Amino acid sequence: MRTFVAFAICWICLALPTPAQAIDRIFASGFENPRWVQGYYVGYEHDLYPIAEVDFSAITHLMVGRVRPLADGNITYDFDIDNTNGPVWAHAAIAAAHAAGRKAILMLGGAGEIDGWRGAASAANRSLFVINLIEMYEDYQFDGFDLDWEPLEAGDHADFIALAQALHNARPNLILTVPLNWINSNVAGTPNPFLGQIAPLFNRINIMTYDMAGAWEGWKSWHNSALHGETANTPSSVSSSVAYFLASGVPAAKLGIGSAFYGDCWQGVTAPHQDGGSISTSDGTMSYANIITNYYAPNPARRVWDATAHVPYLSSATAFGSAQCNFVTYEDAQSLADKGAYARDQGLGGLIIWTISQGHFANKPVGQRDPLLDAVRTAFLP
């Protein structure tokens, strides 16, 4: 996922959902859709998407973030807000999810937390770490944990497995999920047996199929989350990563793919498959709401559909928008429909979204504020 910045809390955001939002109860009614939609909802974005406005009809699991593991086995409690307001926000988010008949999962870690993970999950500190996590699990009434250990390298595998087993031993019925990196198709020839080994320990193994391009050596310009179309110089796609995870022994029904509710602003290139260029800004700044309002709406003719990659992009030889972009890669309702069709065809377990707040249009009329979540509901939760 991402590193985080704390902001002051908005107390009006802590209202519970209206009765209309609580009608559809996927879990409370005894029904569970075979495809999960796990929407990340993080403390530092609380002001973008008030809890009272969250569209729970489009998700099955609210991924409440985050708690950071500390190297001594302790954990943080500020949820990237502060130690007082962060817990209040988290409790309200969990209560809202449960009132809507959805599950609430605690996101642990994130990018930049590798030292904390390695220390906390070590044999010396694992017992204390598990005690602290189970205490939070029960105090906050979470339904499980999302182990966002980045990067998860070969030397970490033993402690990672031991931690997952210890959590299951402590509370056998808790939900465990894990987000893992996408695969460069140029190095995907040999399956990884570790992925099949951990599959029995997790309810979902999710591939973070976004941020799949950059101004890296040997790469040409490419999309943030292409469904298909990988090449030697653009070696990433949802489908090639899925093929790798399946070949490594992860059951399709446990495997999830990812959607970014943000895009990338490229400068110096106007389309995929071009030499040069650089990404000037991405997650957070280039939220979907910002892209549509300030980059697409002023000139809809900039939009191009890539029929091979199954994603849209905006293109202009003249730099546009406050970030001065020439090529903006992002997702929209059309690309999400194609992702959903692909997931159904492959029998996959669902979708993760980073982050649901970045797709929210606060100033639009009610019923028009979450177009990407509307598309996700149609594509993944029929």
Side-chain angles (χ1 to χ4, degrees):
M1 303 309 166
R2 294 285 175 270
T3 53
F4 306 96
V5 179
F7 293 92
I9 195 163
C10 167
W11 291 102
I12 195 171
C13 299
L14 300 179
L16 293 179
T18 63
Q21 289 175 293
I23 292 173
D24 181 19
R25 294 170 172 264
I26 285 180
F27 296 101
S29 65
F31 166 75
E32 178 179 345
N33 194 293
R35 283 179 296 279
W36 290 7
V37 175
Q38 300 173 237
Y40 284 90
Y41 186 62
V42 293
Y44 71 95
E45 289 180 347
H46 62 80
D47 56 337
L48 294 182
Y49 200 6
I51 292 169
E53 296 183 20
V54 172
D55 183 2
F56 285 103
S57 72
I59 62 175
T60 60
H61 297 69
L62 189 70
M63 314 298 283
V64 181
R66 65 173 176 155
V67 164
R68 292 180 289 114
L70 302 178
D72 62 0
N74 285 300
I75 57 178
T76 61
Y77 296 90
D78 60 8
F79 288 91
D80 294 299
I81 300 174
D82 61 55
N83 284 331
T84 299
N85 297 321
V88 173
W89 170 83
H91 277 294
I94 298 159
H98 288 162
R102 303 307 196 251
K103 301 295 187 184
I105 308 297
L106 175 60
M107 174 192 169
L108 301 173
E113 303 304 326
I114 187 59
D115 291 340
W117 273 118
R118 287 173 175 161
S122 68
N125 298 320
R126 189 181 308 130
S127 294
L128 175 61
F129 188 38
V130 170
I131 288 171
N132 285 323
L133 291 178
I134 295 301
E135 182 179 85
M136 175 167 264
Y137 166 79
E138 294 184 339
D139 286 350
Y140 282 70
Q141 294 296 293
F142 280 107
D143 297 292
F145 299 108
D146 183 58
L147 306 187
D148 191 1
W149 184 317
E150 298 182 45
L152 185 55
E153 298 178 340
D156 303 320
H157 289 178
D159 284 340
F160 178 78
I161 290 172
L163 174 62
Q165 291 172 331
L167 289 169
H168 271 308
N169 289 340
R171 294 295 182 275
N173 294 324
L174 62 76
I175 295 169
L176 277 186
T177 64
V178 58
L180 297 174
N181 287 330
W182 54 272
I183 304 299
N184 184 317
S185 60
N186 287 336
V187 297
T190 304
N192 184 354
F194 169 73
L195 299 175
Q197 182 182 1
I198 65 172
L201 294 172
F202 289 89
N203 299 85
R204 288 294 187 276
I205 293 177
N206 297 307
I207 316 172
M208 294 183 285
T209 51
Y210 38 78
D211 280 352
M212 294 201 295
W216 304 319
E217 184 178 356
W219 283 67
K220 295 188 176 184
S221 56
W222 189 229
H223 301 287
N224 181 290
S225 186
L227 181 58
H228 303 295
E230 71 281 357
T231 71
N233 299 115
T234 58
S236 68
S237 71
V238 174
S239 57
S240 61
S241 284
V242 166
Y244 180 83
F245 275 71
L246 294 177
S248 298
V250 179
K254 281 195 172 187
L255 189 61
I257 56 178
S259 173
F261 279 16
Y262 66 90
D264 294 335
C265 168
W266 285 77
Q267 297 175 336
V269 293
T270 59
H273 302 295
Q274 294 182 359
D275 291 318
S278 61
I279 295 177
S280 64
T281 188
S282 183
D283 182 20
T285 305
M286 293 299 289
S287 68
Y288 177 76
N290 184 27
I291 289 171
I292 295 304
T293 302
N294 298 310
Y295 293 82
Y296 168 81
N299 186 356
R302 294 190 184 112
R303 183 186 184 274
V304 181
W305 176 255
D306 187 328
T308 300
H310 291 253
V311 287
Y313 63 94
L314 306 180
S315 176
S316 174
T318 303
F320 62 100
S322 61
Q324 292 293 281
C325 311
N326 299 108
F327 166 46
V328 175
T329 168
Y330 66 107
E331 290 207 71
D332 65 5
Q334 185 178 359
S335 65
L336 284 166
D338 287 359
K339 268 189 177 175
Y342 170 79
R344 290 193 301 273
D345 181 66
Q346 298 292 314
L348 301 183
L351 183 76
I352 56 171
I353 300 166
W354 185 268
T355 59
I356 60 172
S357 300
Q358 294 190 65
H360 183 65
F361 292 78
N363 296 323
K364 286 193 175 184
V366 174
Q368 301 177 30
R369 295 176 180 172
D370 295 288
L372 289 188
L373 284 180
D374 291 341
V376 165
R377 184 193 310 105
T378 300
F380 286 88
L381 300 177

